[in-house]
Amino acid sequence: MKKFFPLFVLPMFLSVLLQSGVYAQGSADYGAGLKVSLNPEGSKYVRVLLWNQMWMRSIQNNPGTLVNGEQANSTFDIGARRLRALAYAQITPRYLVLAHVGINNQTFLNGGAAGTTGTGGYGAGKKPGLFFHDIWSEYAVIPALNPETKKANKSSLSIGAGLHYWWGISRMTSASTLNFLAIDAPIFNWPLIENSDQFARMFGLYAKGKLGKLDYRINMNKPFATKLAALEGTAVDNNGQSKMSYGGYGMYQFLDQESNLLPFTVGSYVGTKRVFNIGAGFYHQSEGTKSLQNGSSKNHDITLLSADVFADMPIGDKKSNAAVTAYSVYYNYNFGPNYLRNIGIMNVGTANPDFGGARALAGAGNSRPMIGTGSIWYTQAGFLLPKDPTKEKVKMRVQPFAAYTMKKFEALDKAGNYFDFGTNFLLDGHHAKITLQYSTRPIYTAKDNINGTKGELLIQFQTYL
C-alpha cells in the first residue's frame, strides 16, 4: 500500500482545491469549440479538436519483470496515453472529409520512434512518429438534415471510404476516447487491435445512417497483412494475402437520439441526455488465422459477435443534475483453436531470464490475457453525484464508477475476473477532468492455475478542446 500512497494523496487534495468546473460534456464555456464557419448560415464549416491524456501510474508488476534491465516488482511512471488532433470539414450538406492524427502510449522507456534505444536525442521512448488514425471522405445519399426544409429526416444514409472507424462490432468498439466513464476502454472491445488493423482502423468502404430509431453502420474492409509463425494446435494471426472482412453494428435508440455525424460513441453524457439503447454487431474474415494440426497448416476464419445495452439517465430534479450511466456487453470471439493475445497498456516491463519463481503466462509488466477465442462479459456503471444547490458557482462534478470483466478463454482452463474502481473529477465536463482508477488482474502461472492478483493505480489528466 505504501507504494500507492503518493497517488492517493493527489486526488484527495485536488477534490478540495479544484472547486470549479461545469455540468456537461459540452461545456457552456466551450460552446461549438474550435469551429470556423465558411458561410453566414454556418452550414459550411471546419471544426478542429485537440486533446491529451496524461497518465500517472503505480503498477504491481507480474512476477519475473525487468524494467530497463533491472528487477522491478513495481513501477511508478508518468506517460502520454494519447496526444491527438482531429479536423473535419462539412463543405456542403452532402460532403464531409475527416483527418485524425496523433501518438499513443509514450513512456519514459518505450513508445518512441522506431529503433530508438539507449541514451541521447533519440534515446528510448523519445520522439514517436505521428501517424494517421483516421482519414476518410463520405457522401450523404440521404442527408440527416433536409437541405431544403432544414428539418431532420427520419432516415439517413451516407457512404464513405478511407482509413476509418465505422466498423462496429459493439458500441464500445466505436467508442470516443474523450468521454469514457472509466479511465479508458477495456481494450478487448477492439479485438483486432494493432494486428490486422491500424489502431482499431482499417482501409475500406462503409455505409452508415438511421432508419427511424435504428442507428446502423456496415462495412467492407481489407485487413492489414499478418504473418506470425504457425503453432501446433494454437491459432495465430497469419492471414497471408488477407481476405476481405465484413461487419456491422446496429443499435435501437428508445429515448433521446444520438448523433452519428461521426462514428465516436459517447461513454457518459454527464446528465445531459436520456439514452437507452440495445445493440448487436458482427465481424467476419475468412482465413484470418492459421495453426498447425499434426504438423499440417490449417486456416481458420475469424468470427466475432456482440450484444450490448447502454443507459444514461438523469435522476432527481434538474437543479441536482444527478445521473446514472451503465453499459454491459457480451462478446463471443472465435479466432480459431486456443487463440490468445496477452497485452499490457504502456507496458514497460520485459521478462527476466534469470527469474527462478513461477512466471506469469501473460508475460512481464502489467500484461494480461486480453483477447482470445471464447467469451467476455463486461459491465460498468457510474453515478454522477448531485449538485449542492447552496453552491451554484461550484462547477466541478464528481462521478464514481466501477467495472467488472469476466473472461473465459479456450486457451485457459479457469475464467478470469477483473475489477476496476474509480472516480471522475469533472472540472469542466469531459473537457477538463481528472480520473482516479484502481484495477486488479488475475495472475495465471499455468492454464489451470491463478496465483492471486496484481493491482494498478492510475490517475489521468485530460483536456480537450
Side-chain angles (χ1 to χ4, degrees), residues 25 30 59 74 84 105 158 167 179 183 225 249 261 269 280 282 298 301 306 314 326 341 352 363 378 381 408 465:
Q25 172 184 333
Y30 183 76
I59 303 168
S74 63
R84 307 274 191 87
N105 303 328
S158 296
W167 63 278
N179 43 51
I183 204 167
Y249 175 71
L261 175 68
Y269 280 103
F282 75 98
K298 184 175 181 180
D301 295 347
S306 82
R341 286 186 68 192
N352 182 355
Y378 175 79
K408 188 169 179 57
L465 296 175

Side-chain angles (χ1 to χ4, degrees), residues 162-164 192 196-197 200-204 221-224 245 283:
L163 181 65
H164 70 89
L192 309 171
S196 55
D197 67 23
R201 280 78 172 176
M202 289 186 185
F203 289 119
N221 297 324
K222 180 69 170 178
F224 287 90
S245 69
Y283 172 92

Side-chain angles (χ1 to χ4, degrees), residues 129-326:
L130 199 69
F131 71 94
F132 279 105
H133 290 63
D134 302 273
I135 183 160
W136 76 76
S137 301
E138 73 176 37
Y139 173 76
V141 180
I142 305 174
L145 189 69
N146 188 308
E148 296 180 0
T149 65
K150 307 301 181 184
K151 295 182 179 180
N153 289 320
K154 291 184 178 180
S155 297
S156 62
L157 169 64
S158 296
I159 56 175
L163 181 65
H164 70 89
Y165 193 59
W166 284 102
W167 63 278
I169 62 173
S170 71
R171 177 187 183 88
M172 196 166 264
T173 308
S174 297
S176 167
T177 62
L178 298 176
N179 43 51
F180 289 131
L181 174 63
I183 204 167
D184 208 313
I187 307 304
F188 50 76
N189 56 299
W190 296 305
L192 309 171
I193 190 74
E194 292 291 73
N195 269 5
S196 55
D197 67 23
Q198 177 172 295
F199 224 76
R201 280 78 172 176
M202 289 186 185
F203 289 119
L205 309 175
Y206 66 87
K208 59 96 171 180
K210 296 201 175 200
L211 290 172
K213 293 188 175 184
L214 176 66
D215 184 299
Y216 65 90
R217 55 194 71 187
I218 58 175
N219 61 80
M220 178 177 70
N221 297 324
K222 180 69 170 178
F224 287 90
T226 60
K227 197 172 184 180
L228 296 179
L231 301 175
E232 182 65 40
T234 300
V236 297
D237 292 277
N238 187 325
N239 59 22
Q241 297 187 49
S242 61
K243 304 290 180 65
M244 298 297 291
S245 69
Y246 304 88
Y249 175 71
M251 55 182 165
Y252 193 85
Q253 303 177 342
F254 290 90
L255 301 177
D256 289 351
Q257 300 300 290
E258 299 183 89
S259 171
N260 69 353
L261 175 68
L262 302 180
F264 312 108
T265 58
V266 171
S268 172
Y269 280 103
V270 199
T272 61
K273 269 184 176 289
R274 293 178 67 251
V275 177
F276 178 67
N277 300 343
I278 58 172
F282 75 98
Y283 172 92
H284 180 79
Q285 184 201 2
S286 297
E287 301 181 2
T289 62
K290 184 176 293 187
S291 71
L292 296 178
Q293 301 293 326
N294 297 319
S296 298
S297 178
K298 184 175 181 180
N299 296 319
H300 308 283
D301 295 347
I302 298 175
T303 301
L304 313 174
L305 304 171
S306 82
D308 58 9
V309 59
F310 174 70
D312 203 329
M313 301 282 186
I315 58 175
D317 57 54
K318 290 185 178 181
K319 288 186 178 181
S320 70
N321 191 230
V324 293
T325 302

